[in-house]
Amino acid sequence: MAVAPPSCCLVAFPPRAKDGLVVFGKNSARPRDEVQEVVYFPAADHEPQSKVQCTYISIDQVPRSHAIVISRPAWLWGAEMGANEHGVCIANEAINAREPAAETEALLGMDLVRLGLERGSTAKEALDIIVALLEEHGQGGNYYEDADSCHSFQSAYLIVDRDEAWVLETVGRYWAAEKTTEGVKCICNQLSLTTKIDAEHRELRSYAQSQGWWTGEDEFNFSEVFSPADEHLDCCAAKDSLEKQEESITVQTMIDILRDKASGVCIDSESFLTTASIVSVLPQNRSAPCIHYFTGTPDPSRSIFKPFIFVGDIKLVPKAQSPCFGDDDPAKKEARFQEKPDRRHELYKAHEWARAVIANDQEQGRQLRKTMLELEKQGLAAMEEILTSSEPLDPTEVGDLFYDCVDTEIKFLK
């Protein structure tokens, strides 16, 4: 059974989070050499009976898809994490379960993240869409760009809006979900739901009984029933870090947690690296905009979190997008991944230089990181002004926001 990458997804609600804000975050742990890109897709209308090609399979398209911004491994269609124009954020975790994940190509967990964002205007609506697609099409296929071995996993999701969060955990086509509206919540690379289940597959318990995993007499505990027999269930480092916060949780708090290598939240191991990160702030006051901060580069402790706000006219950011290989992409050909093209985008290449300097030149690296954090601090302060302003947001002032931040970072690194 493949080792699930040790990512983590977190959310904090008021009053644990500051000033009526919901704060969401994820570190995406993936194979060390994988490139993630940040891509914006505007809302779109689609022809009746049209199809949408996901990573491995095509499914029926809907009449209209919402505007989304996502961070994704550059070889696949779906997303590791992202947000939509309605203030819905979704991130997923690869997990192992008692039932092995299917290697047969179907929907990937990352495909379901993007489909939930494109089609759901609330967290609950996104949840319903994901489980309906899961039950119809199943999940399966290689999670990595690897021709030598198929790494397949089950999936867990953190689905959040301004009012509530849903933890959704899946095993094959079966699933269970828990709703949260207060405190903090975290999911990592193992099952976490226990006896509090607010929604579930109609045949979940009978299936567990049919497999001999549950007698029907004891209280139904999802993690105990469906986790691998040899897996030790414990708290993840991110959950510990979040719960230990004594003061109100802010965007900066979440960024600091995601940067913490000592605790194991920020992964930098022989096999895995935190290849991208996100922090989103969702004001419960609907007159204030949601703000989403993406790194678009590996290792949040050496990256800048850059803000994005949905408005009507967003300037695309090709410098944070990987080259497109079209139908010649080895990920799209049968007998997949026979080659591994260079998927590095301009921001990634500039950041490679910065990571090398920080790692190899103590003094220059210290100065470089100090300047990077100062750039980030300026962006956070400007976004705080927007959140606390009584004036309505001027869309013309933020349509270029993420573009300008990426452009400034690249110029600085060069």
Side-chain angles (χ1 to χ4, degrees):
M1 189 176 288
V3 176
S7 300
C8 61
C9 312
L10 312 93
V11 66
F13 285 89
R16 290 292 285 113
K18 184 185 177 187
D19 296 339
L21 305 175
V22 178
V23 185
F24 165 88
K26 178 183 177 179
N27 268 354
S28 174
R30 299 283 300 173
R32 290 191 62 89
D33 62 347
E34 188 176 77
V35 177
Q36 284 203 37
E37 59 179 352
V38 179
V39 192
Y40 167 76
F41 295 95
D45 294 313
H46 305 283
E47 292 295 323
Q49 300 181 323
S50 61
K51 299 283 187 178
V52 56
Q53 178 63 49
C54 303
T55 301
Y56 297 130
I57 66 169
S58 64
I59 66 171
D60 291 339
Q61 183 57 283
V62 291
R64 183 169 176 81
S65 53
H66 305 313
I68 64 169
V69 60
I70 56 175
S71 183
R72 67 176 181 184
W75 63 270
L76 55 77
W77 179 86
E80 273 283 290
M81 51 211 176
N84 72 18
E85 60 184 308
H86 299 290
V88 178
C89 297
I90 309 179
N92 86 314
E93 296 284 336
I95 54 174
N96 286 313
R98 182 171 267 180
E99 179 176 297
E103 294 187 5
T104 304
E105 291 184 348
L107 290 174
L108 286 177
M110 289 85 82
D111 292 338
L112 288 164
V113 170
R114 178 169 171 179
L115 289 163
L117 291 170
E118 287 189 338
R119 302 180 180 194
S121 58
T122 67
K124 180 58 166 61
E125 188 177 15
L127 167 78
D128 292 340
I129 287 161
I130 289 172
V131 299
L133 291 169
L134 177 70
E135 291 181 25
E136 181 179 357
H137 300 286
Q139 58 181 322
N142 204 339
Y143 264 60
Y144 301 156
E145 191 180 14
D146 186 350
D148 298 324
S149 182
C150 183
H151 310 264
S152 57
F153 300 99
Q154 312 289 7
S155 295
Y157 306 83
L158 185 60
I159 309 168
V160 180
D161 63 22
R162 296 176 191 252
D163 300 312
E164 62 188 28
W166 287 85
V167 173
L168 168 64
E169 298 185 344
T170 68
V171 179
R173 295 175 192 248
Y174 297 92
W175 58 272
E178 178 188 358
K179 178 181 173 180
T180 299
T181 58
E182 59 185 16
V184 299
K185 203 74 180 175
C186 177
I187 62 170
C188 299
N189 61 334
Q190 60 184 20
L191 295 173
S192 64
L193 297 182
T194 56
T195 58
K196 183 182 181 297
I197 297 174
D198 297 307
E200 64 186 78
H201 189 286
R202 60 196 172 281
E203 297 174 3
L204 176 70
R205 300 183 193 220
S206 60
Y207 178 70
Q209 281 185 283
S210 72
Q211 299 298 306
W213 299 336
W214 182 55
T215 64
E217 297 172 2
D218 301 329
E219 186 176 22
F220 185 79
N221 183 311
F222 184 81
S223 296
E224 289 184 1
V225 170
F226 285 101
S227 292
D230 59 349
E231 183 165 276
H232 174 63
L233 298 176
D234 54 13
C235 290
C236 67
K239 183 171 184 286
D240 288 344
S241 297
L242 205 55
E243 290 179 341
K244 285 177 183 174
Q245 298 299 320
E246 295 180 0
E247 298 181 1
S248 294
I249 294 164
T250 64
V251 170
Q252 187 65 62
T253 311
M254 191 68 79
I255 289 173
D256 291 343
I257 289 172
L258 296 181
R259 283 180 166 149
D260 187 1
K261 287 187 175 179
S263 71
V265 175
C266 180
I267 299 299
D268 190 351
S269 68
E270 188 175 334
S271 302
F272 299 112
L273 179 67
T274 298
T275 54
S277 304
I278 182 177
V279 171
S280 293
V281 55
L282 316 176
Q284 293 187 316
N285 173 8
R286 279 168 165 72
S287 66
C290 298
I291 303 176
H292 312 283
Y293 300 86
F294 292 88
T295 60
T297 52
D299 190 347
S301 71
R302 297 171 180 179
S303 292
I304 299 174
F305 284 81
K306 298 166 282 292
F308 176 99
I309 298 176
F310 283 95
V311 289
D313 188 16
I314 295 288
K315 188 172 184 178
L316 301 180
V317 189
K319 293 177 181 178
Q321 294 177 224
S322 296
C324 178
F325 300 97
D327 291 337
D328 292 329
D329 195 318
K332 295 181 179 178
K333 296 179 178 180
E334 292 297 335
R336 300 191 194 278
F337 313 129
Q338 297 304 302
E339 300 173 57
K340 216 168 186 179
D342 184 357
R343 300 187 187 276
R344 296 174 302 162
H345 45 74
E346 192 172 341
L347 175 63
Y348 188 98
K349 290 177 180 178
H351 187 260
E352 278 185 314
W353 172 83
R355 284 167 58 204
V357 169
I358 292 171
N360 299 321
D361 187 323
Q362 189 171 0
E363 179 56 29
Q364 188 182 2
R366 188 179 66 80
Q367 289 296 331
L368 178 61
R369 189 167 185 276
K370 180 181 177 182
T371 308
M372 290 172 72
L373 290 176
E374 185 57 39
L375 278 175
E376 180 183 274
K377 185 178 178 182
Q378 292 172 14
L380 289 171
M383 294 306 101
E384 181 68 20
E385 285 185 19
I386 288 175
L387 287 174
T388 56
S389 174
S390 58
E391 298 295 319
L393 181 69
D394 182 354
T396 62
E397 292 186 358
V398 295
D400 298 353
L401 178 62
F402 190 71
Y403 179 97
D404 290 342
C405 289
V406 169
D407 201 48
T408 300
E409 181 175 354
I410 291 172
K411 288 176 180 175
F412 160 69
L413 293 177
K414 285 183 175 180

